[in-house]
Amino acid sequence: MPETPVHTIMSRPFMNGSECCIARCPYPGNLYFIAFARAYGMACSRLLDIINCTTCGPEMLELSESKRPLVWFDSFMNRMDFSSDPFHPEGHLAALLKVDPPVIKLTGRKKYMYADEGGAREASEVEILLPEESLARVCYLCRGTEYNYGDARFERLPGTSGYQSLYVCEYCASMCKLRKWIAETAANRRLKSVQSKTPHSNCRGIRFLIDLGLFGPPC
């Protein structure tokens, strides 16, 4: 059964209709951000804005009555005085609230947030309306973000679920398997070498690669 695709925001006026998405990064903890959903040659980065830059952390997410995440919308771009966005002079919160179908909604609660960048700012609490499966996934190893095309999505790690899920991209997953195979092969050949009391040249070669740091411990 195919997985739910990444929800793509293509609604004007947000980013003039460019394909965008909302993602959740597990580090430093439940950091929600807006990114381009695909590669654009004119963009120096896919990252557009961090939604909750002052309240992301390892604590469990507060959920609404509908079991959806509640976050304080404190924009990184506004704090860094990058708010002179030609598409959204009113700010990303106002622009996101105009997206159809809606992706966030206001809860009505507000409070002041404090940070070195920007000092005290009034933040509005918003409910993320997108289910976890519709958010772009972030690899917990390389922190790469999914695109909205292609059939394969980042793999969910066993033992994680819901809005506390962790994911790994195909490249990092393959590297973990390779490291594990090399470590297991080296261990098996060392054992055989000890049992036969004769050194094994291939084992020494693999051990040399591990000592050089080309392959780390198995994930």
Side-chain angles (χ1 to χ4, degrees), residues 11-168:
S11 175
R12 294 176 185 269
F14 190 75
M15 292 308 297
N16 202 30
S18 299
E19 296 181 28
C20 303
C21 60
I22 295 178
R24 179 183 61 82
C25 180
Y27 298 107
N30 294 316
L31 183 149
Y32 283 83
F33 63 94
I34 310 165
F36 284 122
R38 68 179 185 87
Y40 285 100
M42 77 291 190
C44 60
S45 170
R46 288 182 61 201
L47 178 65
L48 293 171
D49 200 358
I50 298 173
I51 291 177
N52 57 331
C53 67
T54 51
T55 55
C56 55
E59 296 81 11
M60 292 286 289
L61 277 170
E62 184 180 353
L63 301 180
S64 67
E65 293 181 357
S66 304
K67 304 301 181 184
R68 297 191 182 104
L70 297 173
V71 298
W72 292 97
F73 199 105
D74 192 9
S75 167
F76 174 79
M77 296 291 281
N78 288 343
R79 282 197 167 275
M80 299 301 290
D81 291 327
F82 294 151
S83 55
S84 56
D85 187 334
F87 296 129
H88 313 300
E90 77 281 19
H92 283 160
L93 174 57
L96 276 177
L97 289 172
K98 296 177 183 177
V99 168
D100 185 32
V103 292
I104 63 170
K105 74 174 183 179
L106 295 171
T107 66
R109 294 203 298 173
K110 294 185 177 183
K111 72 175 181 179
Y112 276 92
M113 298 295 183
Y114 300 87
D116 292 338
E117 299 85 3
R121 297 287 180 98
E122 187 179 57
S124 298
E125 187 182 52
V126 299
E127 180 179 350
I128 306 292
L129 300 180
L130 298 177
E132 172 72 12
E133 299 303 320
S134 297
L135 299 175
R137 297 175 178 178
V138 176
C139 176
Y140 88 107
L141 289 174
C142 69
R143 305 191 189 183
T145 306
E146 280 183 322
Y147 291 95
N148 65 343
Y149 52 81
D151 297 328
R153 298 203 61 185
F154 289 2
E155 178 184 348
R156 188 195 308 270
L157 292 184
T160 66
S161 62
Y163 292 102
Q164 300 301 318
S165 298
L166 295 177
Y167 305 98
V168 61

Side-chain angles (χ1 to χ4, degrees), residues 176-196:
C176 284
K177 292 175 183 176
L178 179 59
R179 290 169 181 162
K180 184 176 181 180
W181 177 83
I182 288 177
E184 289 176 349
T185 302
N188 291 336
R189 291 184 175 178
R190 281 199 301 272
L191 179 60
K192 291 180 180 179
S193 177
V194 170
Q195 290 174 343
S196 63

